[in-house]
Amino acid sequence: MKPRFTALKGVSDVLPPETGLWRKIENAACEVMGPYGYDEIKPPVMEQTELFLRSIGDSSDIVAKEMYSFTDKGGRNVSLRPEGTASIVRAYVEHNLSLRPAPQKFLYFGPMFRYERPQKGRQRQFYQLGAECFGVADPGIDAEMITMLVSFLEKIGLKGVSLEINSIGCKECRPAFKENLKAFFTPHLDSLCPDCQRRYEQNPLRILDCKVERCIQIRQNAPLISETLCQDCKDHFSGLIGLLDAMGTSYFFNPHMVRGLDYYTRTVFEVKSEGLGAQNAVAAGGRYDLLVSEFGGPDTPAIGFAAGMERLAMLLKEAATGEEVFPGAASPAIFIATLGKEAATEALKIASRLRAAGKRVEIGWSGSLKSQMRKADKSGAGHVVMIGEDELKTGKFKWKNLKDGSSGETAKEELLAKF
RNA sequence: GUGGGUGUAGCUCAAUUGGCGGAGCACUGGAUUGUGGUUCCAGUGGUUGUGGGUUCGAGUCCCAUCACCCACCCCA
């Protein structure tokens, strides 16, 4: 048989038992971040296109050519969200959440959409888990959030990841740094790769990220942002580093790290992992002190991060062995084999009671006892309860433990207690 | 958007120079009346991704298209 419909390019189904792993990740996020004060927020998956244009900025391909945008029946220009932060800032301003006591902390889960060419760890619809915190300018909150992210990753058992941090300055010092950088690269312009020549115009910071050997060599002596930061930004960054050191959080200072989104200021960070292919970022984030006011709210410092669910799940699957990978892959505790219509009716009644007690129960509706036994075994059931003429007559049910082979008989009223 | 690779059963893969599309696993059923796993037997399952072309003949060669994989770009 050939499927009449298949999923669109770059989108995929998450099937059980993998969904159990996803749930485990989401539960861990709530458990770890709840004590930090983060509560779930559920913004819509679509917004006015303008919202993303204004926040993410046009130096990023995300807005320039990767958005799923359309005109709705009311003539509005709408886009599926390519990331989560913009919506949450919009909600923060729209609902005057700045009037609630600071800090306001939010956690979110959900799909994001970017029209990209799929590859390992990258899809057109992908899920992110993210956190945002509004109203604290102190580097303490940066350290708190980074520490929280690290303990979340530890909680789900992720190994072999590295944390990188940097500061990309503020609206005072970053423009100057951009100019310095451009000035430095101007004499080398012809030697840079074509992509970097484009970056030189669009977003010179990106040249620092280039993977081409020649560009890496050229930039060896390029100015570093850390040397150009204004005093406030320097103080902020050294404050953060001091706190991370004090917490014993290990990090790697990467002076070349830049972020794709325009709204970031000062602190940026990224968690990378081997085993993800070229798309090696598991989680990333940073401070965005200007976005709230740009959206019409009061001056409000903020910081956040997002983690890629598919990437987290991929890493956990690769690293783990055995059944604990898929905690949601439960087998029935009890399989009820039936012989005849009356037995099936009885089975349904008994199953309802057991299920109400939280037991996972499957019923074999037809077929020989042998085939039902086989089915029970394949389902991974722990016990089989048999219902046939004898049981209906006597009210005593034969059962068999499929794990150790033991068997016995239990009266109907005692079944619930037995299992 | 650019480049490379791959498309055969639900899964993993065969099929000689272009010559009748198979196997293992999985699934379904059976092996003396109501007892699973091991074993044995049988069965279901395919317009070889799709559409053209070359040929007496195409899974195999050519073109197009679609999907997947990997990388660039970009990014979680």
PDB file of all heavy atoms in Angstrom, chain A residues 12 19 60 72 89 118 133 156-157 161 163 171 176 181 256 296 300 317 319 355 382:
ATOM      1  N   SER A  12       7.948  16.480  10.735  1.00  0.00           N
ATOM      2  CA  SER A  12       7.901  15.054  11.016  1.00  0.00           C
ATOM      3  C   SER A  12       7.007  14.747  12.199  1.00  0.00           C
ATOM      4  O   SER A  12       6.680  15.624  13.000  1.00  0.00           O
ATOM      5  CB  SER A  12       9.306  14.530  11.293  1.00  0.00           C
ATOM      6  OG  SER A  12       9.800  15.131  12.459  1.00  0.00           O
ATOM      7  N   THR A  19       7.658   9.996  22.195  1.00  0.00           N
ATOM      8  CA  THR A  19       6.902  11.056  22.859  1.00  0.00           C
ATOM      9  C   THR A  19       7.075  10.986  24.384  1.00  0.00           C
ATOM     10  O   THR A  19       7.008  12.007  25.059  1.00  0.00           O
ATOM     11  CB  THR A  19       5.412  10.956  22.514  1.00  0.00           C
ATOM     12  OG1 THR A  19       5.028   9.576  22.506  1.00  0.00           O
ATOM     13  CG2 THR A  19       5.126  11.556  21.144  1.00  0.00           C
ATOM     14  N   SER A  60      19.172  38.918   9.889  1.00  0.00           N
ATOM     15  CA  SER A  60      19.064  37.464   9.983  1.00  0.00           C
ATOM     16  C   SER A  60      18.234  36.907   8.842  1.00  0.00           C
ATOM     17  O   SER A  60      17.232  37.493   8.444  1.00  0.00           O
ATOM     18  CB  SER A  60      18.411  37.082  11.312  1.00  0.00           C
ATOM     19  OG  SER A  60      18.014  35.725  11.278  1.00  0.00           O
ATOM     20  N   ASP A  72      -4.105  36.584   5.815  1.00  0.00           N
ATOM     21  CA  ASP A  72      -5.298  35.843   6.222  1.00  0.00           C
ATOM     22  C   ASP A  72      -6.537  36.437   5.551  1.00  0.00           C
ATOM     23  O   ASP A  72      -6.444  37.399   4.790  1.00  0.00           O
ATOM     24  CB  ASP A  72      -5.418  35.780   7.748  1.00  0.00           C
ATOM     25  CG  ASP A  72      -5.854  37.098   8.380  1.00  0.00           C
ATOM     26  OD1 ASP A  72      -6.177  38.054   7.639  1.00  0.00           O
ATOM     27  OD2 ASP A  72      -5.858  37.184   9.624  1.00  0.00           O
ATOM     28  N   VAL A  89       7.484  38.694  24.676  1.00  0.00           N
ATOM     29  CA  VAL A  89       7.670  40.113  24.949  1.00  0.00           C
ATOM     30  C   VAL A  89       6.394  40.875  24.586  1.00  0.00           C
ATOM     31  O   VAL A  89       5.935  41.743  25.322  1.00  0.00           O
ATOM     32  CB  VAL A  89       8.883  40.665  24.160  1.00  0.00           C
ATOM     33  CG1 VAL A  89       8.980  42.175  24.338  1.00  0.00           C
ATOM     34  CG2 VAL A  89      10.163  39.986  24.616  1.00  0.00           C
ATOM     35  N   PRO A 118      16.128  21.218   5.182  1.00  0.00           N
ATOM     36  CA  PRO A 118      16.335  20.333   6.331  1.00  0.00           C
ATOM     37  C   PRO A 118      17.702  19.661   6.309  1.00  0.00           C
ATOM     38  O   PRO A 118      18.246  19.411   5.239  1.00  0.00           O
ATOM     39  CB  PRO A 118      15.245  19.267   6.158  1.00  0.00           C
ATOM     40  CG  PRO A 118      14.301  19.786   5.144  1.00  0.00           C
ATOM     41  CD  PRO A 118      15.063  20.751   4.306  1.00  0.00           C
ATOM     42  N   CYS A 133      13.017  35.891  31.366  1.00  0.00           N
ATOM     43  CA  CYS A 133      12.907  36.582  32.648  1.00  0.00           C
ATOM     44  C   CYS A 133      12.954  38.083  32.425  1.00  0.00           C
ATOM     45  O   CYS A 133      13.863  38.593  31.773  1.00  0.00           O
ATOM     46  CB  CYS A 133      14.053  36.152  33.566  1.00  0.00           C
ATOM     47  SG  CYS A 133      14.101  37.088  35.105  1.00  0.00           S
ATOM     48  N   ILE A 156      18.157  16.026  32.954  1.00  0.00           N
ATOM     49  CA  ILE A 156      17.713  15.063  31.939  1.00  0.00           C
ATOM     50  C   ILE A 156      18.830  14.099  31.555  1.00  0.00           C
ATOM     51  O   ILE A 156      18.621  13.201  30.748  1.00  0.00           O
ATOM     52  CB  ILE A 156      17.166  15.758  30.675  1.00  0.00           C
ATOM     53  CG1 ILE A 156      18.228  16.636  29.999  1.00  0.00           C
ATOM     54  CG2 ILE A 156      15.937  16.571  31.007  1.00  0.00           C
ATOM     55  CD1 ILE A 156      17.767  17.234  28.692  1.00  0.00           C
ATOM     56  N   GLY A 157      19.997  14.291  32.141  1.00  0.00           N
ATOM     57  CA  GLY A 157      21.065  13.318  31.925  1.00  0.00           C
ATOM     58  C   GLY A 157      21.910  13.571  30.700  1.00  0.00           C
ATOM     59  O   GLY A 157      22.545  12.661  30.178  1.00  0.00           O
ATOM     60  N   VAL A 161      28.349  18.169  27.013  1.00  0.00           N
ATOM     61  CA  VAL A 161      28.022  19.458  26.425  1.00  0.00           C
ATOM     62  C   VAL A 161      28.942  20.528  27.002  1.00  0.00           C
ATOM     63  O   VAL A 161      29.486  20.367  28.090  1.00  0.00           O
ATOM     64  CB  VAL A 161      26.552  19.857  26.692  1.00  0.00           C
ATOM     65  CG1 VAL A 161      25.618  18.905  25.978  1.00  0.00           C
ATOM     66  CG2 VAL A 161      26.256  19.899  28.173  1.00  0.00           C
ATOM     67  N   LEU A 163      29.456  24.800  27.656  1.00  0.00           N
ATOM     68  CA  LEU A 163      28.793  26.099  27.735  1.00  0.00           C
ATOM     69  C   LEU A 163      29.759  27.189  27.294  1.00  0.00           C
ATOM     70  O   LEU A 163      30.884  27.265  27.787  1.00  0.00           O
ATOM     71  CB  LEU A 163      28.349  26.338  29.179  1.00  0.00           C
ATOM     72  CG  LEU A 163      27.875  27.746  29.537  1.00  0.00           C
ATOM     73  CD1 LEU A 163      26.565  28.075  28.831  1.00  0.00           C
ATOM     74  CD2 LEU A 163      27.709  27.882  31.040  1.00  0.00           C
ATOM     75  N   LYS A 171      23.910  49.084  22.943  1.00  0.00           N
ATOM     76  CA  LYS A 171      23.751  50.009  21.813  1.00  0.00           C
ATOM     77  C   LYS A 171      24.793  51.120  21.852  1.00  0.00           C
ATOM     78  O   LYS A 171      24.987  51.810  20.864  1.00  0.00           O
ATOM     79  CB  LYS A 171      22.341  50.593  21.808  1.00  0.00           C
ATOM     80  CG  LYS A 171      22.037  51.499  22.974  1.00  0.00           C
ATOM     81  CD  LYS A 171      20.635  52.090  22.850  1.00  0.00           C
ATOM     82  CE  LYS A 171      20.306  52.889  24.105  1.00  0.00           C
ATOM     83  NZ  LYS A 171      18.916  53.305  24.186  1.00  0.00           N
ATOM     84  N   ALA A 176      30.334  50.900  17.676  1.00  0.00           N
ATOM     85  CA  ALA A 176      31.750  51.245  17.550  1.00  0.00           C
ATOM     86  C   ALA A 176      32.565  50.003  17.212  1.00  0.00           C
ATOM     87  O   ALA A 176      33.465  50.038  16.363  1.00  0.00           O
ATOM     88  CB  ALA A 176      32.257  51.848  18.859  1.00  0.00           C
ATOM     89  N   LEU A 181      35.621  46.589  13.449  1.00  0.00           N
ATOM     90  CA  LEU A 181      35.741  45.309  12.763  1.00  0.00           C
ATOM     91  C   LEU A 181      35.775  45.518  11.247  1.00  0.00           C
ATOM     92  O   LEU A 181      36.600  44.940  10.541  1.00  0.00           O
ATOM     93  CB  LEU A 181      34.544  44.441  13.154  1.00  0.00           C
ATOM     94  CG  LEU A 181      34.744  42.937  13.176  1.00  0.00           C
ATOM     95  CD1 LEU A 181      35.925  42.557  14.050  1.00  0.00           C
ATOM     96  CD2 LEU A 181      33.474  42.270  13.678  1.00  0.00           C
ATOM     97  N   HIS A 256      34.520  35.100  20.169  1.00  0.00           N
ATOM     98  CA  HIS A 256      34.051  35.189  18.788  1.00  0.00           C
ATOM     99  C   HIS A 256      32.580  34.860  18.640  1.00  0.00           C
ATOM    100  O   HIS A 256      32.021  34.936  17.558  1.00  0.00           O
ATOM    101  CB  HIS A 256      34.851  34.231  17.893  1.00  0.00           C
ATOM    102  CG  HIS A 256      36.276  34.656  17.708  1.00  0.00           C
ATOM    103  ND1 HIS A 256      36.633  35.963  17.492  1.00  0.00           N
ATOM    104  CD2 HIS A 256      37.428  33.953  17.747  1.00  0.00           C
ATOM    105  CE1 HIS A 256      37.942  36.047  17.371  1.00  0.00           C
ATOM    106  NE2 HIS A 256      38.456  34.834  17.541  1.00  0.00           N
ATOM    107  N   GLY A 296       7.014  49.023  22.972  1.00  0.00           N
ATOM    108  CA  GLY A 296       6.088  49.970  23.564  1.00  0.00           C
ATOM    109  C   GLY A 296       5.912  49.830  25.055  1.00  0.00           C
ATOM    110  O   GLY A 296       5.074  50.490  25.656  1.00  0.00           O
ATOM    111  N   THR A 300      12.728  47.816  30.242  1.00  0.00           N
ATOM    112  CA  THR A 300      12.727  46.603  31.061  1.00  0.00           C
ATOM    113  C   THR A 300      13.829  45.669  30.604  1.00  0.00           C
ATOM    114  O   THR A 300      13.789  45.167  29.484  1.00  0.00           O
ATOM    115  CB  THR A 300      11.385  45.854  30.940  1.00  0.00           C
ATOM    116  OG1 THR A 300      10.313  46.767  31.209  1.00  0.00           O
ATOM    117  CG2 THR A 300      11.321  44.686  31.909  1.00  0.00           C
ATOM    118  N   LYS A 317      18.928   9.960  23.122  1.00  0.00           N
ATOM    119  CA  LYS A 317      18.780   8.651  22.502  1.00  0.00           C
ATOM    120  C   LYS A 317      20.128   8.047  22.159  1.00  0.00           C
ATOM    121  O   LYS A 317      20.347   6.856  22.333  1.00  0.00           O
ATOM    122  CB  LYS A 317      17.935   8.757  21.222  1.00  0.00           C
ATOM    123  CG  LYS A 317      16.457   8.636  21.482  1.00  0.00           C
ATOM    124  CD  LYS A 317      15.693   8.412  20.192  1.00  0.00           C
ATOM    125  CE  LYS A 317      15.807   9.627  19.283  1.00  0.00           C
ATOM    126  NZ  LYS A 317      14.995   9.466  18.061  1.00  0.00           N
ATOM    127  N   ALA A 319      23.022   8.711  23.566  1.00  0.00           N
ATOM    128  CA  ALA A 319      23.839   8.431  24.740  1.00  0.00           C
ATOM    129  C   ALA A 319      23.307   7.251  25.544  1.00  0.00           C
ATOM    130  O   ALA A 319      24.065   6.452  26.073  1.00  0.00           O
ATOM    131  CB  ALA A 319      23.920   9.665  25.625  1.00  0.00           C
ATOM    132  N   ARG A 355      -8.718  -0.265  35.235  1.00  0.00           N
ATOM    133  CA  ARG A 355      -8.216   0.973  34.618  1.00  0.00           C
ATOM    134  C   ARG A 355      -8.493   2.174  35.507  1.00  0.00           C
ATOM    135  O   ARG A 355      -7.671   3.087  35.596  1.00  0.00           O
ATOM    136  CB  ARG A 355      -8.864   1.163  33.242  1.00  0.00           C
ATOM    137  CG  ARG A 355      -8.303   0.223  32.201  1.00  0.00           C
ATOM    138  CD  ARG A 355      -9.174   0.162  30.964  1.00  0.00           C
ATOM    139  NE  ARG A 355      -8.565  -0.662  29.929  1.00  0.00           N
ATOM    140  CZ  ARG A 355      -9.233  -1.185  28.897  1.00  0.00           C
ATOM    141  NH1 ARG A 355     -10.527  -0.960  28.775  1.00  0.00           N
ATOM    142  NH2 ARG A 355      -8.608  -1.913  28.007  1.00  0.00           N
ATOM    143  N   GLY A 382       2.297  -8.076  31.924  1.00  0.00           N
ATOM    144  CA  GLY A 382       2.829  -8.783  33.084  1.00  0.00           C
ATOM    145  C   GLY A 382       1.995 -10.009  33.432  1.00  0.00           C
ATOM    146  O   GLY A 382       2.530 -11.055  33.758  1.00  0.00           O
TER     147      GLY A 382
END
